């Protein structure tokens, strides 16, 4: 896919979720590199330019930003100057990044599955491919119930519900505004959630997690009710600069024909403080949020170079 089409699809959420965004963007960078007929420095400058455009398509996505930086650094380290050789390096670095994501997913599926017990009520929010994979892969062996949110304003919860239902899992949906009450003890014994499991877009060095707007309230309600909150996400989502910028999206997503002069703040994401998080399910197993940075430093020393 061309860079501009990929950016369009990412911006309008045809491609959604941190992993899909990173995957598609990196693949389109590799395709762009294949078609580039410039040698040496000019090749690198063009790739940098395309990577910058892809990075700005969604500002709250370190899996994308770190992947682009990885591919750019591999190009810079090479002594090759011919376009065909540079293209092969770019292609290889993208393949390596995608393989790291895949390995993280495989481990998370197995480690995350162990946390779910037969008969559990599991609560999730938005649509995370990582969470979806964990739930689907675990359910056959030990059936449980899933509760999820519709996820306003763009209803990504419907993607989760549809995909889980097609895989045979029972799903009950609530409005976003009902999530905190459902999770609280006041919704009654039968509706007690056993765990919350949600994805992540970005992880700070202290282990705070940025995810779809609404995640903070859900985690707060779970913390108050003593329900464990797990985040399923590759550690490659750690924000290298630790300066995450929360994406503000177009006002019309919230109200297309809104009254004139109405100000709308359409936050795409919010932040769950590390203290509400029981564990991050990732390629290192289930890790306490405060300990993730040291694991990242060891496994991916290039990711946090100056930090
Ligand atoms: C999606 C979202 C997901 C994370 C993780 O938001 O918040 O929970 O991106 O997804 P949006 P994954 O729909 O705005 O992209 O586990 O697939 O990486």
């Amino acid at each position: 896919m061309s860079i501009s089409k990929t950016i369009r699809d990412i911006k309008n959420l045809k491609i959604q979720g941190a992993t899909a965004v990173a995957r598609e963007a990196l693949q389109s960078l590799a395709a762009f590199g294949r078609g580039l007929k410039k040698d040496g420095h000019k090749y690198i400058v063009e790739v940098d330019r395309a990577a910058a455009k892809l990075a700005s398509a969604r500002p709250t996505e370190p899996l994308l930003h770190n992947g682009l930086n990885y591919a750019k650094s591999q190009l810079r380290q090479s002594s090759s100057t011919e376009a065909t050789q540079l293209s092969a390096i770019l292609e290889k670095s993208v393949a390596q990044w995608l393989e790291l994501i895949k390995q993280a997913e495989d481990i998370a599926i197995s480690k995350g599955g162990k946390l779910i017990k037969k008969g559990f009520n599991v609560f999730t929010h938005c649509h995370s491919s990582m969470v979806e994979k964990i739930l689907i892969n675990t359910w056959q062996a030990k059936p449980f119930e899933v509760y999820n949110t519709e996820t306003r304003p763009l209803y990504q919860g419907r993607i989760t519900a549809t995909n889980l239902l097609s895989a045979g899992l029972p799903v009950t949906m609530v409005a976003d505004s009902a999530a905190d009450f459902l999770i609280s003890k006041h919704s009654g014994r039968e509706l007690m959630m056993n765990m919350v499991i949600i994805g992540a877009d970005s992880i700070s060095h202290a282990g705070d997690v940025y995810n779809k707007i609404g995640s903070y309230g859900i985690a707060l309600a779970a913390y108050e009710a003593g329900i464990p909150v797990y985040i399923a996400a590759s550690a490659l989502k750690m924000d290298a600069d630790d300066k995450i910028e929360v994406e503000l999206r177009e006002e019309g997503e919230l109200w297309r024909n809104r009254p004139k002069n109405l100000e709308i703040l359409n936050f795409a994401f919010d932040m769950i403080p590390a203290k509400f998080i029981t564990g991050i399910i990732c390629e290192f197993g289930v890790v306490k949020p405060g300990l993730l940075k040291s694991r990242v430093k060891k496994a991916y020393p290039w990711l946090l170079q100056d930090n």
Side-chain angles (χ1 to χ4, degrees):
M1 210 192 299
S2 73
I3 298 279
S4 52
K5 168 92 170 84
T6 307
I7 292 174
R8 242 190 347 268
D9 286 356
I10 289 175
K11 282 194 168 163
N12 65 26
L13 259 65
K14 220 173 187 176
I15 302 170
Q16 69 77 230
T19 307
V21 165
R23 232 179 229 139
E24 297 287 334
L26 283 159
Q27 278 166 349
S28 92
L29 188 70
F32 173 78
R34 272 197 301 277
L36 203 52
K37 299 294 174 238
K38 297 185 173 163
D39 290 331
H41 182 62
K42 284 188 181 148
Y43 186 99
I44 291 177
V45 168
E46 289 292 325
V47 168
D48 279 0
R49 207 171 280 156
K53 283 191 206 155
L54 286 165
S56 66
R58 294 212 77 177
T60 322
E61 298 298 358
L63 188 65
L64 164 67
H65 303 161
N66 293 336
L68 293 169
N69 287 340
Y70 178 74
K72 288 192 307 184
S73 72
Q74 297 301 301
L75 275 184
R76 283 202 162 68
Q77 279 166 27
S78 117
S79 53
S80 309
T81 52
E82 273 181 39
T84 47
Q85 291 167 331
L86 290 166
S87 164
I89 292 164
L90 183 60
E91 196 115 24
K92 189 172 165 202
S93 61
V94 167
Q96 283 168 339
W97 193 257
L98 299 185
E99 183 53 30
L100 285 176
I101 295 178
K102 167 86 178 61
Q103 282 169 11
E105 276 176 355
D106 289 346
I107 298 172
I109 289 169
S110 124
K111 301 287 179 187
K114 292 200 171 75
L115 299 168
I116 304 173
K117 305 271 177 286
K118 193 171 166 191
F120 259 22
N121 287 336
V122 176
F123 191 91
T124 191
H125 178 51
C126 193
H127 174 248
S128 150
S129 58
M130 185 82 119
V131 170
E132 184 183 298
K133 286 190 172 99
I134 293 172
L135 298 181
I136 291 177
N137 279 281
T138 310
W139 188 78
Q140 281 293 346
K142 25 182 187 174
F144 52 87
E145 307 262 334
V146 178
Y147 290 79
N148 86 324
T149 58
E150 53 178 354
T151 319
R152 283 275 290 144
L154 295 178
Y155 301 102
Q156 291 93 325
R158 292 179 184 175
I159 308 174
T160 303
T162 308
N163 294 351
L164 295 183
L165 287 168
S166 319
L169 281 72
V171 184
T172 305
M173 182 179 278
V174 292
D176 295 356
S177 48
D180 310 353
F181 176 67
L182 173 63
I183 290 168
S184 78
K185 296 209 160 74
H186 309 294
S187 60
R189 272 190 78 78
E190 270 162 37
L191 290 175
M192 274 299 291
M193 296 298 118
N194 298 98
M195 69 191 288
V196 169
I197 176 167
I198 51 185
D201 287 275
S202 173
I203 307 171
S204 80
H205 293 191
D208 307 317
V209 164
Y210 292 78
N211 191 56
K212 179 54 54 193
I213 189 75
S215 299
Y216 168 67
I218 288 168
L220 178 63
Y223 182 75
E224 221 268 322
I227 296 164
V229 175
Y230 291 100
I231 305 296
S234 165
L236 295 165
K237 290 180 177 180
M238 184 157 276
D239 176 24
D241 302 326
D242 211 19
K243 278 190 211 129
I244 208 68
E245 193 188 317
V246 170
E247 180 186 355
L248 269 172
R249 292 182 62 85
E250 199 236 317
E251 300 168 358
E253 280 184 359
L254 225 60
W255 193 352
R256 187 64 53 204
N257 300 314
R258 61 197 173 278
K260 216 173 139 216
N261 300 331
L262 175 69
E263 295 288 336
I264 285 183
L265 269 177
N266 184 16
F267 292 111
F269 301 105
D270 62 20
M271 191 265 268
I272 307 174
K275 73 168 183 179
F276 296 162
I277 300 170
T278 313
I280 299 182
I281 307 163
C282 64
E283 54 271 60
F284 312 132
V286 183
V287 178
K288 289 265 164 231
L291 301 178
L292 193 67
K293 183 181 173 189
S294 63
R295 302 297 299 267
V296 170
K297 267 195 159 173
K298 239 192 211 159
Y300 311 128
W302 35 266
L303 200 150
L304 299 176
Q305 263 164 14
D306 306 320
N307 291 288

XYZ file of all heavy atoms in Angstrom, residues 13 16-21 58 61 63 125-131 156 199-201 211-212 232 237 268-269, ligand 1:
217
model
N -8.961 5.433 11.011
C -9.136 4.234 11.842
C -9.607 2.989 11.081
O -10.099 2.039 11.679
C -10.060 4.513 13.033
C -9.317 4.748 14.350
C -8.466 6.006 14.290
C -10.249 4.832 15.517
N -6.779 0.165 12.796
C -6.817 0.628 14.178
C -6.108 -0.347 15.101
O -5.912 -1.512 14.755
C -8.259 0.900 14.643
C -9.179 -0.284 14.810
C -8.966 -1.115 16.053
O -8.853 -2.351 15.989
N -8.912 -0.485 17.210
N -5.740 0.151 16.277
C -5.011 -0.661 17.250
C -3.512 -0.521 16.985
O -3.069 -0.529 15.829
N -2.758 -0.398 18.078
C -1.321 -0.112 17.962
C -0.578 -1.117 17.086
O 0.276 -0.748 16.277
C -0.719 -0.099 19.366
N -0.916 -2.395 17.225
C -0.155 -3.422 16.499
C -0.441 -3.356 15.007
O 0.494 -3.403 14.182
C -0.501 -4.821 17.064
O -0.307 -4.789 18.483
C 0.371 -5.895 16.455
N -1.706 -3.239 14.646
C -2.052 -3.170 13.223
C -1.468 -1.906 12.597
O -0.956 -1.932 11.472
C -3.570 -3.200 13.050
N -1.505 -0.807 13.349
C -0.957 0.458 12.844
C 0.545 0.289 12.551
O 1.037 0.640 11.476
C -1.204 1.610 13.860
C -0.359 2.825 13.550
C -2.683 1.979 13.882
N -0.315 8.899 13.835
C -0.868 8.729 15.187
C 0.233 8.993 16.203
O 1.183 8.213 16.315
C -1.457 7.317 15.366
C -2.680 7.098 14.474
C -3.696 6.176 15.058
N -4.503 6.788 16.089
C -5.505 6.150 16.681
N -5.795 4.914 16.351
N -6.224 6.751 17.608
N 1.699 6.336 19.544
C 1.974 4.954 19.152
C 3.468 4.599 19.127
O 4.070 4.469 18.054
C 1.374 4.668 17.773
C -0.136 4.792 17.678
C -0.907 3.822 18.552
O -0.272 2.992 19.245
O -2.147 3.901 18.573
N 4.934 1.785 19.413
C 5.283 0.560 18.672
C 5.605 0.927 17.219
O 6.518 0.381 16.606
C 4.128 -0.439 18.715
C 4.423 -1.824 18.146
C 5.476 -2.557 18.971
C 3.160 -2.686 18.064
N -12.028 -3.570 27.134
C -12.425 -2.244 26.620
C -11.802 -2.057 25.245
O -10.688 -2.521 24.997
C -11.890 -1.192 27.605
C -12.160 0.232 27.226
N -13.414 0.700 26.890
C -11.335 1.314 27.154
C -13.338 2.007 26.640
N -12.085 2.391 26.770
N -12.526 -1.381 24.373
C -12.029 -1.049 23.030
C -11.721 -2.330 22.237
O -12.304 -3.384 22.494
C -10.798 -0.144 23.136
S -10.338 0.618 21.555
N -10.801 -2.241 21.283
C -10.383 -3.452 20.564
C -8.865 -3.528 20.563
O -8.188 -2.713 19.943
C -10.883 -3.463 19.112
C -10.331 -4.636 18.358
N -9.420 -4.511 17.334
C -10.516 -5.973 18.530
C -9.092 -5.710 16.892
N -9.747 -6.611 17.595
N -8.361 -4.522 21.275
C -6.920 -4.794 21.272
C -6.721 -6.167 20.654
O -7.296 -7.158 21.115
C -6.396 -4.775 22.712
O -5.291 -5.648 22.838
N -5.874 -6.233 19.621
C -5.635 -7.527 18.960
C -4.967 -8.506 19.933
O -5.212 -9.703 19.900
C -4.768 -7.332 17.719
O -3.542 -6.734 18.064
N -4.128 -7.956 20.811
C -3.424 -8.814 21.780
C -4.425 -9.430 22.765
O -4.388 -10.628 23.043
C -2.388 -7.958 22.519
C -1.497 -8.710 23.463
S -0.151 -9.487 22.578
C 1.254 -8.706 23.341
N -5.322 -8.605 23.288
C -6.329 -9.112 24.232
C -7.217 -10.135 23.516
O -7.497 -11.222 24.044
C -7.182 -7.954 24.800
C -8.371 -8.484 25.588
C -6.326 -7.038 25.668
N -15.117 0.888 18.757
C -14.224 -0.248 18.509
C -14.613 -1.478 19.331
O -14.211 -2.588 19.003
C -12.770 0.123 18.827
C -12.157 1.122 17.874
C -12.310 2.545 18.374
O -13.328 2.897 19.003
N -11.333 3.378 18.112
N -5.648 -3.600 26.360
C -4.405 -3.431 25.615
C -3.704 -2.140 26.006
O -4.075 -1.469 26.969
N -2.675 -1.800 25.236
C -1.947 -0.549 25.478
C -1.468 0.025 24.161
O -1.131 -0.710 23.235
C -0.745 -0.787 26.379
N -1.448 1.342 24.130
C -0.822 2.030 23.007
C 0.593 2.428 23.371
O 1.493 2.342 22.558
C -1.659 3.255 22.622
C -2.925 2.802 21.934
O -2.901 2.571 20.724
O -3.934 2.595 22.637
N -3.966 4.063 26.951
C -4.841 3.217 26.128
C -6.107 4.012 25.822
O -6.272 5.153 26.280
C -5.155 1.910 26.867
C -5.821 0.892 25.964
O -5.289 0.536 24.909
N -6.994 0.423 26.336
N -6.992 3.418 25.062
C -8.218 4.102 24.615
C -8.904 4.859 25.747
O -8.987 4.362 26.872
C -9.161 3.038 24.029
C -10.489 3.526 23.543
C -10.428 4.650 22.533
C -9.578 4.350 21.330
N -9.278 5.558 20.501
N -2.269 -6.189 28.340
C -1.625 -7.117 27.405
C -0.956 -6.293 26.313
O -1.642 -5.670 25.500
C -2.673 -8.057 26.803
N 6.231 -1.350 23.146
C 5.381 -0.155 23.190
C 5.887 0.861 24.211
O 5.224 1.863 24.465
C 3.933 -0.550 23.522
C 3.254 -1.311 22.386
C 1.836 -1.695 22.738
C 1.153 -2.378 21.554
N -0.223 -2.773 21.861
N -8.347 10.837 22.399
C -8.356 9.458 21.889
C -7.929 8.477 22.976
O -8.376 7.325 22.990
C -7.417 9.332 20.690
N -7.063 8.913 23.878
C -6.490 8.011 24.879
C -6.498 8.657 26.259
O -6.681 9.869 26.381
C -5.038 7.659 24.493
C -4.926 7.006 23.138
C -4.440 7.714 22.058
C -5.332 5.696 22.941
C -4.354 7.123 20.790
C -5.257 5.095 21.691
C -4.766 5.814 20.618
C -7.076 1.000 20.104
C -6.630 0.714 21.497
C -6.030 -0.636 21.761
C -4.506 -0.524 21.686
C -3.847 -1.893 21.700
O -7.345 2.369 19.875
O -6.671 1.549 22.377
O -6.362 -1.092 23.040
O -4.127 0.142 20.505
O -4.175 -2.604 20.544
P -7.676 2.858 18.397
P -3.297 -3.862 20.059
O -8.863 2.087 17.920
O -7.903 4.311 18.513
O -6.448 2.570 17.541
O -3.304 -4.834 21.181
O -4.010 -4.343 18.831
O -1.917 -3.357 19.773
